[in-house]
Amino acid sequence: MKIGFITLGCDKNTVDSERCLADLVHRGAQYTADLDEADVIVVNTCGFIDAAKQESIDALVQAGQYKTRGSCQAVVAVGCMVQRHKGELEAELPEVDLFLGASEMDRLGSALQERGVLNAAPDPVAEHPGVRLYTGDLPHVRYLKVSEGCDHGCAFCAIPLMRGKHRSFALNAVVREAQLLETQGAREVNLVAQDLAHYGRDRRAEGARLPELLEALVAETSIPWIRMLYLYSAGITPRLLEVMAREPRILPYLDMPIQHASDPVLERMRRPERAHTLREKIARIRQMIPDVAIRTTCIVGFPGEKAEDFQRLLDFLEEMRFERVGAFTYSPQEGTRAALLEDTVPEALKLDRLERLADLQSAISAERYERFVGRVVPAIVDRAPAAGEPAVARVLWQADDIDGITWLDGEAPAGALVDAAIESVVDDVNFRASLVQVRSVPATITRRDRSGARRLPVMATIGNGSFGR
């Protein structure tokens, strides 16, 4: 039985898909990246904003078409959008055979077995459930989810309605999973959660918060790069900054969404921070970690956003000069407090404000990156040079898939950690650099084949149903 997977939305969904795939392989399935070959196609949906919902629906409709023209026997919808809208989706998408919300994804394997779609006899030599099956093309870059759900009451956000209350995973379990990712070739591990800074607050008896988790990951793994994605600024404590400043393997990078900078809008959004507290926090961060890159996120067109509110946001971005800013227009989400507010900003005005913000931040990002030109900085190689093209790398201030790339002149294999001399800023996102030296290359990680007679490199087998032993 061949399983195809389509994962939409955030990196937390990527982790969920990898776990599901591992369980399915354990039960006798084989992963395929070619949907024309798939007997079952699973779509892990996103329901964060309207555009994400539409993308999920389109993917489900397209997956259903494989049932009429290929070998596909079943289409399965899982994840966040299903968690909130299962009844509506069941009524509107008859081509989908099974719907499981985010809280039910661990039942996917057993549900397929019950329907006779999946072989009920698990492969005796496959890994135990809980191992993650990687299917991408950058096995040295992995994501590690440290908690589930969210306790924050932001007026615009439906995540608590889809993912439930905040639940931190046990520190020892997180460390063991990081060690597993390391055996599978991970050189950069990105910690993800709805709010990383909230980690451990619900497990007070264990006495471990995010700083202690970071220290444990540094002490008990050899992963060279550990990056943090998505922290509320209110939870960024002096203790956390001290650990970041002290540990070179924890990258000087913070993904800290502010959403807005006008106090009236922040109040309607039910955000805990105000402009003056954000300003003070950012100053403290840069004082303790001078080379830190701060990425943030903003919403434009929130109900009641006046011209002067939007101008305050632009002025704040001009003053703070973040390295990167992601922005999107507000869309009301059913069940949220903001959905009860009158959507007073016309769609055309939302898009105009989004464009103005993007133009401003583009110039700011380019200017901020210029300070790195002429410096030799650490980088990780994502793709080796090929066909006359330079290598594709990322300096430590560039997170995978969201912060651009560095074109690197020089010979180095994928996964290598190198020193790179930054020669120019290509635009507001990308760098051009030259290789100075290779610091380290990926270790040859091996596993036994099924006969036990020889050992194979794991980097050649991750993604096709095999696991590191």
PDB file of all heavy atoms in Angstrom, residues 428-457:
ATOM      1  N   ASP A 428      16.440  42.616  -0.892  1.00  0.00           N
ATOM      2  CA  ASP A 428      16.129  42.736   0.527  1.00  0.00           C
ATOM      3  C   ASP A 428      16.087  41.387   1.231  1.00  0.00           C
ATOM      4  O   ASP A 428      15.812  41.329   2.436  1.00  0.00           O
ATOM      5  CB  ASP A 428      14.783  43.443   0.717  1.00  0.00           C
ATOM      6  CG  ASP A 428      13.624  42.618   0.179  1.00  0.00           C
ATOM      7  OD1 ASP A 428      13.755  42.070  -0.931  1.00  0.00           O
ATOM      8  OD2 ASP A 428      12.587  42.530   0.854  1.00  0.00           O
ATOM      9  N   VAL A 429      16.363  40.301   0.522  1.00  0.00           N
ATOM     10  CA  VAL A 429      16.237  38.963   1.097  1.00  0.00           C
ATOM     11  C   VAL A 429      17.542  38.178   1.013  1.00  0.00           C
ATOM     12  O   VAL A 429      17.925  37.492   1.963  1.00  0.00           O
ATOM     13  CB  VAL A 429      15.114  38.166   0.377  1.00  0.00           C
ATOM     14  CG1 VAL A 429      15.013  36.754   0.934  1.00  0.00           C
ATOM     15  CG2 VAL A 429      13.777  38.876   0.519  1.00  0.00           C
ATOM     16  N   ASN A 430      18.242  38.241  -0.110  1.00  0.00           N
ATOM     17  CA  ASN A 430      19.314  37.313  -0.421  1.00  0.00           C
ATOM     18  C   ASN A 430      20.699  37.956  -0.374  1.00  0.00           C
ATOM     19  O   ASN A 430      20.856  39.156  -0.602  1.00  0.00           O
ATOM     20  CB  ASN A 430      19.089  36.705  -1.817  1.00  0.00           C
ATOM     21  CG  ASN A 430      17.719  36.061  -1.940  1.00  0.00           C
ATOM     22  OD1 ASN A 430      17.338  35.249  -1.113  1.00  0.00           O
ATOM     23  ND2 ASN A 430      16.973  36.445  -2.963  1.00  0.00           N
ATOM     24  N   PHE A 431      21.701  37.096  -0.112  1.00  0.00           N
ATOM     25  CA  PHE A 431      23.103  37.507  -0.104  1.00  0.00           C
ATOM     26  C   PHE A 431      23.873  36.792  -1.210  1.00  0.00           C
ATOM     27  O   PHE A 431      23.460  35.739  -1.710  1.00  0.00           O
ATOM     28  CB  PHE A 431      23.785  37.120   1.219  1.00  0.00           C
ATOM     29  CG  PHE A 431      23.285  37.861   2.427  1.00  0.00           C
ATOM     30  CD1 PHE A 431      22.538  37.212   3.394  1.00  0.00           C
ATOM     31  CD2 PHE A 431      23.586  39.199   2.620  1.00  0.00           C
ATOM     32  CE1 PHE A 431      22.097  37.869   4.526  1.00  0.00           C
ATOM     33  CE2 PHE A 431      23.148  39.877   3.753  1.00  0.00           C
ATOM     34  CZ  PHE A 431      22.402  39.210   4.702  1.00  0.00           C
ATOM     35  N   ARG A 432      25.008  37.358  -1.553  1.00  0.00           N
ATOM     36  CA  ARG A 432      26.015  36.634  -2.314  1.00  0.00           C
ATOM     37  C   ARG A 432      27.279  36.597  -1.473  1.00  0.00           C
ATOM     38  O   ARG A 432      27.661  37.602  -0.869  1.00  0.00           O
ATOM     39  CB  ARG A 432      26.300  37.282  -3.675  1.00  0.00           C
ATOM     40  CG  ARG A 432      27.352  36.522  -4.494  1.00  0.00           C
ATOM     41  CD  ARG A 432      27.400  37.001  -5.919  1.00  0.00           C
ATOM     42  NE  ARG A 432      26.203  36.677  -6.655  1.00  0.00           N
ATOM     43  CZ  ARG A 432      25.970  35.480  -7.211  1.00  0.00           C
ATOM     44  NH1 ARG A 432      26.866  34.513  -7.093  1.00  0.00           N
ATOM     45  NH2 ARG A 432      24.868  35.270  -7.878  1.00  0.00           N
ATOM     46  N   ALA A 433      27.913  35.410  -1.405  1.00  0.00           N
ATOM     47  CA  ALA A 433      29.076  35.235  -0.534  1.00  0.00           C
ATOM     48  C   ALA A 433      30.061  34.276  -1.174  1.00  0.00           C
ATOM     49  O   ALA A 433      29.741  33.568  -2.140  1.00  0.00           O
ATOM     50  CB  ALA A 433      28.642  34.711   0.836  1.00  0.00           C
ATOM     51  N   SER A 434      31.261  34.249  -0.646  1.00  0.00           N
ATOM     52  CA  SER A 434      32.279  33.304  -1.107  1.00  0.00           C
ATOM     53  C   SER A 434      32.725  32.443   0.063  1.00  0.00           C
ATOM     54  O   SER A 434      32.771  32.892   1.215  1.00  0.00           O
ATOM     55  CB  SER A 434      33.478  34.052  -1.703  1.00  0.00           C
ATOM     56  OG  SER A 434      34.038  34.942  -0.762  1.00  0.00           O
ATOM     57  N   LEU A 435      33.049  31.218  -0.245  1.00  0.00           N
ATOM     58  CA  LEU A 435      33.468  30.261   0.777  1.00  0.00           C
ATOM     59  C   LEU A 435      34.852  30.630   1.310  1.00  0.00           C
ATOM     60  O   LEU A 435      35.786  30.856   0.540  1.00  0.00           O
ATOM     61  CB  LEU A 435      33.488  28.848   0.187  1.00  0.00           C
ATOM     62  CG  LEU A 435      33.941  27.727   1.116  1.00  0.00           C
ATOM     63  CD1 LEU A 435      32.936  27.524   2.235  1.00  0.00           C
ATOM     64  CD2 LEU A 435      34.131  26.433   0.323  1.00  0.00           C
ATOM     65  N   VAL A 436      34.968  30.683   2.633  1.00  0.00           N
ATOM     66  CA  VAL A 436      36.258  30.914   3.274  1.00  0.00           C
ATOM     67  C   VAL A 436      36.857  29.593   3.730  1.00  0.00           C
ATOM     68  O   VAL A 436      38.003  29.268   3.431  1.00  0.00           O
ATOM     69  CB  VAL A 436      36.110  31.880   4.462  1.00  0.00           C
ATOM     70  CG1 VAL A 436      37.432  32.020   5.220  1.00  0.00           C
ATOM     71  CG2 VAL A 436      35.633  33.240   3.973  1.00  0.00           C
ATOM     72  N   GLN A 437      36.056  28.825   4.458  1.00  0.00           N
ATOM     73  CA  GLN A 437      36.504  27.497   4.868  1.00  0.00           C
ATOM     74  C   GLN A 437      35.301  26.648   5.240  1.00  0.00           C
ATOM     75  O   GLN A 437      34.240  27.168   5.605  1.00  0.00           O
ATOM     76  CB  GLN A 437      37.447  27.583   6.072  1.00  0.00           C
ATOM     77  CG  GLN A 437      36.794  28.078   7.353  1.00  0.00           C
ATOM     78  CD  GLN A 437      37.704  27.971   8.552  1.00  0.00           C
ATOM     79  OE1 GLN A 437      38.714  27.274   8.528  1.00  0.00           O
ATOM     80  NE2 GLN A 437      37.362  28.673   9.626  1.00  0.00           N
ATOM     81  N   VAL A 438      35.481  25.340   5.121  1.00  0.00           N
ATOM     82  CA  VAL A 438      34.468  24.387   5.546  1.00  0.00           C
ATOM     83  C   VAL A 438      34.778  24.014   6.995  1.00  0.00           C
ATOM     84  O   VAL A 438      35.851  23.515   7.299  1.00  0.00           O
ATOM     85  CB  VAL A 438      34.466  23.126   4.654  1.00  0.00           C
ATOM     86  CG1 VAL A 438      33.468  22.109   5.173  1.00  0.00           C
ATOM     87  CG2 VAL A 438      34.151  23.503   3.209  1.00  0.00           C
ATOM     88  N   ARG A 439      33.844  24.264   7.868  1.00  0.00           N
ATOM     89  CA  ARG A 439      34.041  23.934   9.280  1.00  0.00           C
ATOM     90  C   ARG A 439      33.840  22.451   9.549  1.00  0.00           C
ATOM     91  O   ARG A 439      34.634  21.815  10.233  1.00  0.00           O
ATOM     92  CB  ARG A 439      33.060  24.724  10.152  1.00  0.00           C
ATOM     93  CG  ARG A 439      33.332  26.205  10.247  1.00  0.00           C
ATOM     94  CD  ARG A 439      32.405  26.813  11.270  1.00  0.00           C
ATOM     95  NE  ARG A 439      32.699  28.215  11.529  1.00  0.00           N
ATOM     96  CZ  ARG A 439      32.163  28.895  12.524  1.00  0.00           C
ATOM     97  NH1 ARG A 439      31.301  28.302  13.340  1.00  0.00           N
ATOM     98  NH2 ARG A 439      32.470  30.157  12.703  1.00  0.00           N
ATOM     99  N   SER A 440      32.730  21.913   9.040  1.00  0.00           N
ATOM    100  CA  SER A 440      32.445  20.487   9.250  1.00  0.00           C
ATOM    101  C   SER A 440      31.460  20.032   8.192  1.00  0.00           C
ATOM    102  O   SER A 440      30.677  20.827   7.663  1.00  0.00           O
ATOM    103  CB  SER A 440      31.872  20.235  10.647  1.00  0.00           C
ATOM    104  OG  SER A 440      30.629  20.880  10.803  1.00  0.00           O
ATOM    105  N   VAL A 441      31.512  18.742   7.876  1.00  0.00           N
ATOM    106  CA  VAL A 441      30.601  18.153   6.900  1.00  0.00           C
ATOM    107  C   VAL A 441      29.755  17.110   7.615  1.00  0.00           C
ATOM    108  O   VAL A 441      30.114  16.630   8.690  1.00  0.00           O
ATOM    109  CB  VAL A 441      31.370  17.502   5.728  1.00  0.00           C
ATOM    110  CG1 VAL A 441      32.155  18.538   4.969  1.00  0.00           C
ATOM    111  CG2 VAL A 441      32.281  16.395   6.233  1.00  0.00           C
ATOM    112  N   PRO A 442      28.596  16.749   7.051  1.00  0.00           N
ATOM    113  CA  PRO A 442      27.737  15.763   7.712  1.00  0.00           C
ATOM    114  C   PRO A 442      28.471  14.450   7.939  1.00  0.00           C
ATOM    115  O   PRO A 442      29.185  13.953   7.063  1.00  0.00           O
ATOM    116  CB  PRO A 442      26.576  15.581   6.736  1.00  0.00           C
ATOM    117  CG  PRO A 442      26.581  16.814   5.905  1.00  0.00           C
ATOM    118  CD  PRO A 442      28.015  17.235   5.802  1.00  0.00           C
ATOM    119  N   ALA A 443      28.290  13.904   9.124  1.00  0.00           N
ATOM    120  CA  ALA A 443      28.871  12.594   9.420  1.00  0.00           C
ATOM    121  C   ALA A 443      28.166  11.533   8.595  1.00  0.00           C
ATOM    122  O   ALA A 443      27.005  11.680   8.220  1.00  0.00           O
ATOM    123  CB  ALA A 443      28.734  12.279  10.908  1.00  0.00           C
ATOM    124  N   THR A 444      28.866  10.452   8.297  1.00  0.00           N
ATOM    125  CA  THR A 444      28.256   9.322   7.602  1.00  0.00           C
ATOM    126  C   THR A 444      27.487   8.504   8.625  1.00  0.00           C
ATOM    127  O   THR A 444      28.073   7.802   9.448  1.00  0.00           O
ATOM    128  CB  THR A 444      29.320   8.445   6.922  1.00  0.00           C
ATOM    129  OG1 THR A 444      30.047   9.256   6.004  1.00  0.00           O
ATOM    130  CG2 THR A 444      28.672   7.297   6.181  1.00  0.00           C
ATOM    131  N   ILE A 445      26.182   8.626   8.592  1.00  0.00           N
ATOM    132  CA  ILE A 445      25.317   7.917   9.537  1.00  0.00           C
ATOM    133  C   ILE A 445      24.781   6.686   8.838  1.00  0.00           C
ATOM    134  O   ILE A 445      24.308   6.748   7.709  1.00  0.00           O
ATOM    135  CB  ILE A 445      24.168   8.833   9.992  1.00  0.00           C
ATOM    136  CG1 ILE A 445      24.749  10.132  10.553  1.00  0.00           C
ATOM    137  CG2 ILE A 445      23.286   8.156  11.019  1.00  0.00           C
ATOM    138  CD1 ILE A 445      23.712  11.197  10.753  1.00  0.00           C
ATOM    139  N   THR A 446      24.856   5.561   9.477  1.00  0.00           N
ATOM    140  CA  THR A 446      24.513   4.313   8.812  1.00  0.00           C
ATOM    141  C   THR A 446      23.473   3.540   9.585  1.00  0.00           C
ATOM    142  O   THR A 446      23.210   3.769  10.748  1.00  0.00           O
ATOM    143  CB  THR A 446      25.752   3.422   8.652  1.00  0.00           C
ATOM    144  OG1 THR A 446      26.285   3.146   9.958  1.00  0.00           O
ATOM    145  CG2 THR A 446      26.814   4.087   7.815  1.00  0.00           C
ATOM    146  N   ARG A 447      22.854   2.568   8.916  1.00  0.00           N
ATOM    147  CA  ARG A 447      21.934   1.635   9.555  1.00  0.00           C
ATOM    148  C   ARG A 447      22.116   0.267   8.896  1.00  0.00           C
ATOM    149  O   ARG A 447      22.653   0.152   7.786  1.00  0.00           O
ATOM    150  CB  ARG A 447      20.486   2.098   9.364  1.00  0.00           C
ATOM    151  CG  ARG A 447      20.016   1.993   7.921  1.00  0.00           C
ATOM    152  CD  ARG A 447      18.518   2.191   7.822  1.00  0.00           C
ATOM    153  NE  ARG A 447      18.084   1.950   6.452  1.00  0.00           N
ATOM    154  CZ  ARG A 447      17.688   0.766   5.994  1.00  0.00           C
ATOM    155  NH1 ARG A 447      17.654  -0.283   6.780  1.00  0.00           N
ATOM    156  NH2 ARG A 447      17.331   0.626   4.728  1.00  0.00           N
ATOM    157  N   ARG A 448      21.654  -0.773   9.566  1.00  0.00           N
ATOM    158  CA  ARG A 448      21.729  -2.102   8.969  1.00  0.00           C
ATOM    159  C   ARG A 448      20.594  -2.289   7.965  1.00  0.00           C
ATOM    160  O   ARG A 448      19.495  -1.780   8.159  1.00  0.00           O
ATOM    161  CB  ARG A 448      21.615  -3.188  10.045  1.00  0.00           C
ATOM    162  CG  ARG A 448      22.810  -3.223  10.980  1.00  0.00           C
ATOM    163  CD  ARG A 448      22.782  -4.479  11.845  1.00  0.00           C
ATOM    164  NE  ARG A 448      23.920  -4.486  12.743  1.00  0.00           N
ATOM    165  CZ  ARG A 448      25.146  -4.848  12.396  1.00  0.00           C
ATOM    166  NH1 ARG A 448      25.376  -5.238  11.160  1.00  0.00           N
ATOM    167  NH2 ARG A 448      26.129  -4.822  13.254  1.00  0.00           N
ATOM    168  N   ASP A 449      20.883  -3.014   6.874  1.00  0.00           N
ATOM    169  CA  ASP A 449      19.792  -3.342   5.976  1.00  0.00           C
ATOM    170  C   ASP A 449      19.010  -4.513   6.578  1.00  0.00           C
ATOM    171  O   ASP A 449      19.324  -5.014   7.646  1.00  0.00           O
ATOM    172  CB  ASP A 449      20.304  -3.655   4.564  1.00  0.00           C
ATOM    173  CG  ASP A 449      21.057  -4.975   4.490  1.00  0.00           C
ATOM    174  OD1 ASP A 449      21.192  -5.644   5.528  1.00  0.00           O
ATOM    175  OD2 ASP A 449      21.504  -5.325   3.390  1.00  0.00           O
ATOM    176  N   ARG A 450      17.967  -4.957   5.911  1.00  0.00           N
ATOM    177  CA  ARG A 450      17.073  -5.937   6.517  1.00  0.00           C
ATOM    178  C   ARG A 450      17.728  -7.288   6.726  1.00  0.00           C
ATOM    179  O   ARG A 450      17.339  -8.049   7.609  1.00  0.00           O
ATOM    180  CB  ARG A 450      15.807  -6.077   5.662  1.00  0.00           C
ATOM    181  CG  ARG A 450      15.031  -4.770   5.620  1.00  0.00           C
ATOM    182  CD  ARG A 450      13.668  -4.941   5.022  1.00  0.00           C
ATOM    183  NE  ARG A 450      12.956  -3.664   5.058  1.00  0.00           N
ATOM    184  CZ  ARG A 450      11.666  -3.535   4.804  1.00  0.00           C
ATOM    185  NH1 ARG A 450      10.948  -4.591   4.520  1.00  0.00           N
ATOM    186  NH2 ARG A 450      11.096  -2.359   4.844  1.00  0.00           N
ATOM    187  N   SER A 451      18.723  -7.624   5.945  1.00  0.00           N
ATOM    188  CA  SER A 451      19.411  -8.899   6.144  1.00  0.00           C
ATOM    189  C   SER A 451      20.404  -8.824   7.291  1.00  0.00           C
ATOM    190  O   SER A 451      20.872  -9.849   7.776  1.00  0.00           O
ATOM    191  CB  SER A 451      20.157  -9.294   4.857  1.00  0.00           C
ATOM    192  OG  SER A 451      21.263  -8.428   4.666  1.00  0.00           O
ATOM    193  N   GLY A 452      20.730  -7.592   7.712  1.00  0.00           N
ATOM    194  CA  GLY A 452      21.730  -7.436   8.759  1.00  0.00           C
ATOM    195  C   GLY A 452      23.144  -7.643   8.266  1.00  0.00           C
ATOM    196  O   GLY A 452      24.088  -7.604   9.051  1.00  0.00           O
ATOM    197  N   ALA A 453      23.321  -7.836   6.956  1.00  0.00           N
ATOM    198  CA  ALA A 453      24.639  -8.204   6.439  1.00  0.00           C
ATOM    199  C   ALA A 453      25.526  -7.002   6.157  1.00  0.00           C
ATOM    200  O   ALA A 453      26.739  -7.144   6.087  1.00  0.00           O
ATOM    201  CB  ALA A 453      24.461  -9.021   5.156  1.00  0.00           C
ATOM    202  N   ARG A 454      24.969  -5.818   5.983  1.00  0.00           N
ATOM    203  CA  ARG A 454      25.786  -4.681   5.642  1.00  0.00           C
ATOM    204  C   ARG A 454      25.132  -3.416   6.186  1.00  0.00           C
ATOM    205  O   ARG A 454      24.025  -3.455   6.714  1.00  0.00           O
ATOM    206  CB  ARG A 454      25.950  -4.569   4.124  1.00  0.00           C
ATOM    207  CG  ARG A 454      24.660  -4.428   3.359  1.00  0.00           C
ATOM    208  CD  ARG A 454      24.845  -4.677   1.876  1.00  0.00           C
ATOM    209  NE  ARG A 454      23.595  -4.588   1.135  1.00  0.00           N
ATOM    210  CZ  ARG A 454      23.155  -3.499   0.540  1.00  0.00           C
ATOM    211  NH1 ARG A 454      23.868  -2.394   0.610  1.00  0.00           N
ATOM    212  NH2 ARG A 454      22.034  -3.494  -0.120  1.00  0.00           N
ATOM    213  N   ARG A 455      25.814  -2.308   6.051  1.00  0.00           N
ATOM    214  CA  ARG A 455      25.284  -1.056   6.573  1.00  0.00           C
ATOM    215  C   ARG A 455      25.160  -0.037   5.441  1.00  0.00           C
ATOM    216  O   ARG A 455      25.994   0.006   4.545  1.00  0.00           O
ATOM    217  CB  ARG A 455      26.189  -0.519   7.690  1.00  0.00           C
ATOM    218  CG  ARG A 455      26.267  -1.470   8.875  1.00  0.00           C
ATOM    219  CD  ARG A 455      27.125  -0.908   9.997  1.00  0.00           C
ATOM    220  NE  ARG A 455      26.488   0.208  10.673  1.00  0.00           N
ATOM    221  CZ  ARG A 455      25.557   0.087  11.609  1.00  0.00           C
ATOM    222  NH1 ARG A 455      25.147  -1.113  11.964  1.00  0.00           N
ATOM    223  NH2 ARG A 455      25.050   1.143  12.194  1.00  0.00           N
ATOM    224  N   LEU A 456      24.099   0.750   5.510  1.00  0.00           N
ATOM    225  CA  LEU A 456      23.793   1.702   4.457  1.00  0.00           C
ATOM    226  C   LEU A 456      23.757   3.113   5.027  1.00  0.00           C
ATOM    227  O   LEU A 456      23.363   3.314   6.174  1.00  0.00           O
ATOM    228  CB  LEU A 456      22.415   1.393   3.837  1.00  0.00           C
ATOM    229  CG  LEU A 456      22.228  -0.038   3.293  1.00  0.00           C
ATOM    230  CD1 LEU A 456      20.777  -0.229   2.906  1.00  0.00           C
ATOM    231  CD2 LEU A 456      23.132  -0.252   2.102  1.00  0.00           C
ATOM    232  N   PRO A 457      24.159   4.116   4.248  1.00  0.00           N
ATOM    233  CA  PRO A 457      24.061   5.490   4.746  1.00  0.00           C
ATOM    234  C   PRO A 457      22.605   5.913   4.914  1.00  0.00           C
ATOM    235  O   PRO A 457      21.798   5.733   4.020  1.00  0.00           O
ATOM    236  CB  PRO A 457      24.763   6.323   3.677  1.00  0.00           C
ATOM    237  CG  PRO A 457      24.892   5.452   2.502  1.00  0.00           C
ATOM    238  CD  PRO A 457      24.740   4.028   2.926  1.00  0.00           C
TER     239      PRO A 457
END
